[in-house]
Amino acid sequence: MKAALVQMQASADKDKNLQRILAHIERAASRGAALCAFPEFMMFYTRSSQTPRELASLAEPVTGGFVSSIAAAAKEHRIEVVGSFYEKSRRKDRVYDTCFVAGRTGRILSKYQKVHLYDALGFRESAKLAAGRRLARPVNTSLGRTGVMICYDLRFPEVSRSLAAAGSEVLVAPSAWVRGPLKEEHWITMNRARAIENGCYVIAPDQVGNIYCGRSLAVDPYGRILLDMKKRRAMGMVEVDPGIVKKTRRALPLLANRRPAAYRF
């Protein structure tokens, strides 16, 4: 099955971004993709000058127009979509950074609120975002059993391991990886490591431009980089084969060889 990765530079205009997203979905379907994956913060770019309340005023529920329009496009073009949006919370000065999976029927199959906020290396996402409380269970997609995580979650091996132990054959990680010293090296290493240690595909569409580094990646279960989009604003295509996951896990049975009882102190 083919997966499409969209590497985009989101503007501060939500409506303009939505129109670009819908066009990408149509194009991905026309190229034979079964699933189209978008980066974190695709809804709009949040400038540092934007206050928490201003951000919250632009956020939407999952039933709002932004996600509903994308779900309708997924149904129209018979394609699955993994995307992200700023989701309203109960607080007037905080929002959730949320990933969703829309099925080919337009139904929202999964919703995940980012658990690990990027409070590191001079950033403090918690000044505007609220942290989610739990991971989302993997769901069945055309690519196989699929788990989702978001950006900074890649630095926490427990996330991908928990998703893999719950049956994930593919991990999709919408990201907006901030530029900085050694950050691209970290990005590539994290994506390859998460694939290798869990014997699964990792699909990581990233933002490019603004403050972000690009380098959207697709990695196979043995750690081979199948796609590296460098600095292009574009759509990339990659083949995903659940049979390769099964073959890799038979040859390198890391999940089966775990001994959780020995890891306790």
Side-chain angles (χ1 to χ4, degrees), residues 10-14 17 43-47 58:
S11 75
D13 188 315
K14 177 166 54 174
N17 293 328
M43 192 179 200
F44 54 84
Y45 175 58
T46 302
R47 297 188 177 92
L58 294 169

Side-chain angles (χ1 to χ4, degrees), residues 99-115:
C99 173
F100 65 90
V101 182
R104 290 158 60 93
T105 65
R107 185 168 70 90
I108 301 301
L109 305 178
S110 175
K111 185 185 81 164
Y112 164 62
Q113 297 165 337
K114 185 177 177 182
V115 167

Side-chain angles (χ1 to χ4, degrees), residues 26 29 69-79 103-106:
E26 181 178 7
S69 295
I70 293 167
K75 181 178 180 179
E76 178 184 355
H77 299 291
R78 302 295 295 169
I79 188 172
R104 290 158 60 93
T105 65

Side-chain angles (χ1 to χ4, degrees), residues 22 25 36 81 88 106 123-124 164 196 230 237-238 255 260:
L22 297 179
I25 292 170
C36 184
V81 177
K88 283 191 177 297
F123 278 76
R124 196 163 71 88
I196 293 167
K230 304 297 184 181
M237 305 290 288
V238 66
L255 295 176

Side-chain angles (χ1 to χ4, degrees), residues 123-140:
F123 278 76
R124 196 163 71 88
E125 283 189 337
S126 61
K128 294 182 179 180
L129 305 181
R133 293 189 172 187
R134 61 185 62 85
L135 303 181
R137 287 195 172 277
V139 296
N140 291 323

